[in-house]
Every structure is written in C-alpha cells, then in structure tokens.
C-alpha cells in the first residue's frame, strides 16, 4: 500500500459524458501527478500540481482539466469523453515534486468509455 | 521537446537468463529513476541515479547512469518468475518524463 488513494476504482460511462477522478496523496506529500496508461502502453504524463498550484503540464487534452485543493487532494475532470479515453488513470504523489524524490503511485482508476 | 526512449518494448526470457532494458534521453538529465509495475499493479519505485557514470546494485539488479547523463540501463542477472512486469525509466530534464517501459515475461 503506497498511501495514495484513488476513487473510484472502476468507472464505466458513455461517450460524450463527463467524469471526475479523485486522488488523495500520501500524508505529507505536497505534489500530485496524473498519468494516463492505455492498454499495453507506457505512462503518459498529464499534469502535476504542487501545493495547489500547477507545476508542469504534459500531453493533457483540452477536454481534460485538473486541480489540487487546499487539503491537497486532487481531481481530474474528463469531459466530452471519447472511446479512446478508455485507460487506466494513475495518480502519484511526492514530497517536493521537483523530480528528485520518489513518486508513490495509487492503485489507479480504470475508465471504460462505451 | 524532451523525450525519453526505452528499448526493447518487450522481452521474453527463459528463467535463469539475463535481461537488460535501455533508456535514452534526447536531453541531458539531472537524474533518472526506475520503476517496476507488476501485472495488474501500479508502478513502484526501485532506485534513483544522480551522478554521471553511477552504478547501483540491488541484489540481482544492476542500474547504470551514462557518463553523459543521457542514458541508463537496468540489468537483471539470472531472472526469476518474480521479475515479471514492466520496467519504466523516468528521466528528469525540464520535468520528469517516463519511458514507454519494457515488458518482461519469464518462462519457468
């Protein structure tokens, strides 16, 4: 158990819908990362937050947005869903978020878009 | 932009054989990390390399960071069935980027 929690574990929805994925970082970690992992694919970095502020942005679609709240939990919002958005979405957290510390990954949310 | 390439994409070995995965960056890295993801699991941190030419060992695993800090490798000696999974490198340039991973399968 990494200490990072993600909800829900599974999500099944239809094209065109909007969903919200939630992540709670490890206690004491200020930075949260979001990744997308499609079937048999690597980890695609989406976005990173540090203490409530956006720190780095990867290949995140305009249909996707995220935020980190004052209690440090984070949400990833996916809208106008397409079939190709079906994937495993991981959240990770780290203490400083400067790339020199360990990222602790949550168990992931598996999104299926029908 | 910064890219981290990892090869091979897949590797199938007989138990007891060695295994190596390679990671190459288009830019100089300040550090590189390696993660392992077991089937159905999430990535788990293995190690971090920071210094040019650094070599670190964890039992049967040997990690190297190139002299130019643009490449790295992970070598597993005498693979076991418990080594199965996908191994990812993650390099810190402007920001942290993961390689596509090498999926290792081990035949008993």
């Amino acid at each position: 158990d990494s200490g990072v929690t993600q909800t829900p574990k599974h999500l099944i929805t239809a094209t065109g819908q909007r969903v919200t994925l939630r992540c709670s970082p490890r206690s004491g970690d200020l930075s949260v990362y979001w990744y997308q992992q499609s079937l048999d694919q690597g980890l695609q970095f989406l976005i990173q937050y540090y203490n409530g502020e956006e720190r780095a942005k990867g290949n995140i679609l305009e249909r996707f947005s995220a935020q980190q709240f004052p209690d440090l939990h984070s949400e990833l919002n996916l809208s106008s869903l397409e079939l190709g958005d079906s994937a495993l979405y991981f959240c990770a957290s780290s203490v400083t978020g400067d790339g020199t510390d360990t990222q602790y990954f949550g168990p992931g949310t598996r999104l299926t878009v029908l | 932009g910064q890219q981290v390439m990892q090869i091979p994409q897949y590797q199938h070995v007989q138990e007891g054989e060695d295994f190596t995965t390679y990671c190459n960056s288009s830019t100089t890295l300040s550090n590189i990390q390696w993660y392992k993801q077991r089937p159905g699991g999430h990535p788990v941190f293995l190690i971090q390399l920071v210094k040019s030419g650094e070599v670190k060992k964890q039992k049967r695993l040997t990690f190297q960071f190139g002299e130019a800090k643009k490449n790295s490798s992970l070598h597993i000696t005498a693979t076991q069935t418990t080594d199965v999974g996908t191994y990812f490198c993650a390099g810190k340039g402007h920001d942290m980027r993961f390689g596509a991973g090498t999926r290792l399968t081990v035949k008993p």
Side-chain angles (χ1 to χ4, degrees):
Chain A
D1 183 6
S2 66
V4 178
T5 60
Q6 287 188 250
T7 56
K9 198 169 184 178
H10 301 278
L11 198 49
I12 301 173
T13 188
T15 54
Q17 295 298 305
R18 172 190 168 95
V19 297
T20 297
L21 312 184
R22 183 187 169 101
C23 168
S24 292
R26 287 189 330 151
S27 176
D29 285 358
L30 297 178
S31 192
V32 169
Y33 308 75
W34 285 99
Y35 294 90
Q36 180 191 57
Q37 186 174 45
S38 301
L39 193 62
D40 289 343
Q41 297 295 310
L43 290 164
Q44 184 88 337
F45 168 66
L46 296 178
I47 199 163
Q48 178 198 1
Y49 284 85
Y50 175 79
N51 205 20
E53 299 290 325
E54 182 183 306
R55 174 166 275 190
K57 211 169 200 178
N59 300 322
I60 187 166
L61 300 172
E62 284 192 12
R63 300 184 286 109
F64 295 0
S65 65
Q67 54 182 327
Q68 186 180 28
F69 294 87
D71 67 352
L72 301 178
H73 91 272
S74 178
E75 292 181 356
L76 178 66
N77 301 295
L78 315 177
S79 62
S80 302
L81 285 168
E82 302 175 359
L83 295 177
D85 297 327
S86 294
L88 194 51
Y89 290 84
F90 285 109
C91 163
S93 73
S94 72
V95 177
T96 67
D98 65 0
T100 63
D101 55 351
T102 302
Q103 291 186 39
Y104 294 89
F105 284 77
T109 292
R110 182 168 294 283
L111 173 67
T112 303
V113 183
L114 301 174
Chain B
Q2 177 190 342
Q3 288 189 4
V4 175
M5 311 296 289
Q6 197 173 347
I7 57 169
Q9 191 175 359
Y10 301 95
Q11 185 77 57
H12 179 72
V13 300
Q14 191 79 32
E15 188 173 22
E17 292 181 338
D18 293 356
F19 158 77
T20 305
T21 173
Y22 300 91
C23 187
N24 293 289
S25 170
S26 57
T27 59
T28 302
L29 302 170
S30 57
N31 63 279
I32 195 156
Q33 297 177 345
W34 286 91
Y35 291 77
K36 176 183 178 181
Q37 182 178 19
R38 293 183 185 277
H42 58 271
V44 174
F45 175 81
L46 292 176
I47 208 160
Q48 174 168 273
L49 304 170
V50 179
K51 299 176 185 175
S52 169
E54 189 170 13
V55 178
K56 286 189 176 180
K57 293 193 175 187
Q58 287 180 352
K59 297 182 181 177
R60 295 177 295 103
L61 278 61
T62 302
F63 304 83
Q64 294 189 348
F65 201 9
E67 294 289 341
K69 300 184 75 173
K70 295 180 77 171
N71 58 75
S72 180
S73 65
L74 158 59
H75 179 83
I76 302 179
T77 303
T79 54
Q80 300 175 358
T81 54
T82 53
D83 295 325
V84 297
T86 301
Y87 293 85
F88 293 98
C89 62
K92 171 86 167 62
H94 178 257
D95 48 42
M96 204 69 168
R97 294 297 166 116
F98 277 76
T102 296
R103 175 177 286 190
L104 172 65
T105 55
V106 180
K107 186 176 180 182

